[in-house]
């Protein structure tokens, strides 16, 4: 839901109630990819409660920019060392000044140039986000950058074409034309559904019929 600059100003100083102001995603490919990134990580870290995942959620990082409606919303971002409760948006000055530890943008024809230039500069110079990746669900273009001495340096693929994320403690790579997580040993991080299917197959191999 889009709101006016005046409406935003009236919500202050309780900025925690400011809602996200992001447009809908470009295509079903983008929706599926974003849902996959969120569900896999939440399932893998299901025993943790000290992280927050933002999915197509606005980050408000300056009160004046809030009034002027000058803000950014990454497609996917991870913030560690915080509580996992729901938010209407991410408001940095209400969150101990925390910015994302990792950002992933899903490229599209209409956003790729901004993602590779304007947003990359913002995440490097203002957010100081340690790691930034972009991925195109359409062309499968994948690139990653890590902050080093204040500048982003490109992350080099391993022999499997995967990129190591220090923030995640996982690799990012392409599997069946989708961006997926892999463990340090190269094992695919499964979705909850894939985990259930794998367990069912294992039980069947043992002659046990799983309860449905």
């Amino acid at each position: 839901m889009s709101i006016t600059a005046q409406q935003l100003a009236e919500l202050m100083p309780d900025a925690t109630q400011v809602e996200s102001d992001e447009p809908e995603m470009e295509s079903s490919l983008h929706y599926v990819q974003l849902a996959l990134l969120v569900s896999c990580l939440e399932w893998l870290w299901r025993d943790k409660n000290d992280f927050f995942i933002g999915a197509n959620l606005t980050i408000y990082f300056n009160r004046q920019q809030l009034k002027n409606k000058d803000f950014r919303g990454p497609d996917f971002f991870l913030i560690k060392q915080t509580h996992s409760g729901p938010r209407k948006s991410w408001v940095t000055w209400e969150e101990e000044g925390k910015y994302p530890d990792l950002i992933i943008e899903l490229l599209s024809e209409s956003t790729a140039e901004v993602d590779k230039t304007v947003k990359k500069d913002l995440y490097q110079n203002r957010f100081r986000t340690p790691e930034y990746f972009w991925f195109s669900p359409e062309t499968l273009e994948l690139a990653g950058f890590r902050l080093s001495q204040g500048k982003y340096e490109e992350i080099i693929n391993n022999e499997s074409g995967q990129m190591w994320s220090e923030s995640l403690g996982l690799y990012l790579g392409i599997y069946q034309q989708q961006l997926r997580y892999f463990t340090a040993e190269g094992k695919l991080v499964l979705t909850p559904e894939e985990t259930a299917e794998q367990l069912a197959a294992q039980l069947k191999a043992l002659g046990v019929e799983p309860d449905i």
Side-chain angles (χ1 to χ4, degrees):
M1 179 183 69
S2 181
I3 59 178
T4 67
Q6 180 61 35
Q7 289 171 319
L8 285 171
E10 289 172 355
L11 285 170
M12 295 166 66
D14 186 10
T16 60
Q17 299 306 306
V18 179
E19 295 185 354
S20 182
D21 195 47
E22 295 309 301
E24 292 188 5
M25 305 207 76
E26 293 281 332
S27 70
S28 59
L29 278 177
H30 291 75
Y31 275 112
V32 170
Q33 177 62 77
L34 182 59
L36 186 60
L37 289 171
V38 173
S39 64
C40 282
L41 194 58
E42 287 186 338
W43 177 242
L44 180 66
W45 289 355
R46 58 191 177 277
D47 295 328
K48 299 182 179 182
N49 59 6
D50 61 350
F51 68 95
F52 177 77
I53 295 173
N56 198 35
L57 197 73
T58 301
I59 296 176
Y60 297 105
F61 54 94
N62 181 284
R63 287 181 181 271
Q64 187 58 45
Q65 289 167 320
L66 175 60
K67 291 181 180 180
N68 297 337
K69 300 196 72 177
D70 178 18
F71 34 74
R72 294 293 175 182
D75 293 323
F76 176 98
F77 64 88
L78 168 68
I79 296 177
K80 301 191 296 184
Q81 303 303 313
T82 189
H83 69 89
S84 299
R87 276 89 161 171
K88 294 183 178 181
S89 59
W90 185 267
V91 184
T92 58
W93 62 89
E94 301 285 359
E95 301 281 358
E96 301 179 347
K98 290 181 180 293
Y99 285 85
D101 294 282
L102 173 141
I103 289 174
I104 301 173
E105 293 286 6
L106 302 179
L107 303 180
S108 66
E109 186 175 347
S110 64
T111 67
E113 184 177 354
V114 171
D115 289 338
K116 294 179 179 182
T117 56
V118 176
K119 285 192 173 183
K120 182 169 178 272
D121 289 344
L122 176 70
Y123 302 155
Q124 171 187 275
N125 301 324
R126 179 60 186 265
F127 285 19
R128 314 299 293 164
T129 295
E131 292 179 328
Y132 174 44
F133 295 84
W134 66 60
F135 173 70
S136 169
E138 297 168 337
T139 68
L140 307 186
E141 177 186 348
L142 173 63
F145 305 87
R146 183 172 295 118
L147 203 63
S148 177
Q149 297 182 344
K151 299 293 182 182
Y152 276 142
E153 293 186 356
E154 190 166 1
I155 299 172
I156 305 302
N157 297 344
N158 64 10
E159 61 276 8
S160 300
Q162 300 164 355
M163 298 179 183
W164 179 252
S165 166
E166 294 178 353
S167 297
L168 291 168
L170 299 167
Y171 283 104
L172 282 166
I174 299 171
Y175 174 77
Q176 295 184 346
Q177 298 188 309
Q178 293 177 314
L179 185 62
R180 299 291 297 265
Y181 306 110
F182 298 82
T183 67
E185 296 73 32
K187 185 178 179 180
L188 179 70
V189 173
L190 302 180
T191 66
E193 294 77 16
E194 289 169 339
T195 302
E197 290 171 2
Q198 185 181 79
L199 178 59
Q202 291 171 347
L203 291 173
K204 187 175 181 179
L206 294 171
V208 178
E209 287 297 327
D211 294 331
I212 303 299

